[in-house]
Amino acid sequence: MIQDTEPRLRPSWLLLGPAFVAAIAYVDPGNVAANVSAGAQYGFLLVWVIVVANAMAGLVQYLSAKLGLVTGRSLPEAVADHTRTSTRIAYWLQAELVAMATDLAEVVGGAIALHLLFDLPLLVGGVITGAVSLLLLAIQNRRGQRTFERVISGLLLVIAIGFLTSLFVEPPSASDVAAGLIPRFEGSESVLLATAMLGATVMPHAVYLHSGLARDRHGHPPAGRQRRWLLKVTRLDVGLAMLVAGAVNLAMLLVAATNLQGRDNTDSIEGAHAAVRDTLGPTVALLFAIGLLASGLASTSVGAYAGAMIMGGLLRRSYPLLLRRLVTLIPALAILAIGVDPSRALVLSQVVLSFGIPFALIPLVRLTSNRSLMGEDTNHRVTTALGWMVAALISVLNVVLIYLTVRG
């Protein structure tokens, strides 16, 4: 148990880390595909989506971490505690579908990066990405969560450098960026991309995972000063992690809007990479590909970690790591094997993810608003209202997307 004097003895930065693992989900290859496509097709039109999505993600991730700290239960475990067996199984099936979409984006993104860097076939690159993810998960199993956090945070730094560099080489117009902060759309395709960007930013598996990460790292402190201190540190952890993730996401869109708009063949990551090489030079293109590779390798291991937590929490059984990895890896490899356009698959996978967000957000808001469960750390009414607004906004956007797509 954490000693009562510990907050005075340990600097808060030593307690940071869980949010940076969860933040990997917000800079995965699906983000690259969605953000680059949005910038290349619509310029600065959807800058506001990045800003809004990042703000929503910060709120959601803090609520998830708070649930784990206060209750000592991960979100999947808490959902299982409050549902019947048949409901739990149905809930797990939709979560598993979301996990497959997550792995699709991450494995395909890693495969594309290996193809760009080493000209490897996409299927071979997908197999390598899956194998590396198993290695990273083995580090977590054998060396513990803190070592895993350091490795993932290091990869997050590589991702940030890879994508932020190009932003400084050719800075965007401040007036154009400011104009992009005004919420608006231009047709059903822009709604599709906005939904994909939301799915790539507010990630369901990151919402499930963060509750367990915070619980496993900080334990289940009793109500009082210890818990208040850890919740304060958690807010700092989430704020810093979301700042990094938001900056990377915004950089992707701004670089595409500044350098790729109006160019041919920028609707794929390979085409965007070629355009970056032509406009900003081979060094920046190399950093772009390295950032994409780090994104794919880190995010697929974090995604598999989240999948194991979801499966174990909802089904109340422990499954071998290899089986857990294969459940979502095989569909991703099948997509690569049959030759589906990988960049389009990435964007559509993010749309699938966005449909899974309400299933994570609704129980999260309900549980953290339950005074009998959360005690003195129950959500403030304003926090609860904001949580419901996030869930409603995403749900409405999905309905609009369906309507516009069918009508078109």
Side-chain angles (χ1 to χ4, degrees), residues 294-330:
S295 170
L297 296 178
S299 59
T300 191
S301 61
V302 171
Y305 189 8
M309 186 175 293
I310 293 168
M311 180 180 282
L314 290 172
L315 300 185
R316 294 176 172 170
R317 291 184 59 185
S318 178
Y319 294 89
L321 179 63
L322 181 60
L323 173 63
R324 172 61 251 169
R325 176 76 283 217
L326 290 177
V327 166
T328 52
L329 180 61
I330 289 177

Side-chain angles (χ1 to χ4, degrees), residues 340-356:
V340 174
D341 176 30
S343 292
R344 187 63 177 174
L346 280 173
V347 173
L348 292 178
S349 73
Q350 303 310 297
V351 176
V352 173
L353 289 178
S354 74
F355 280 90

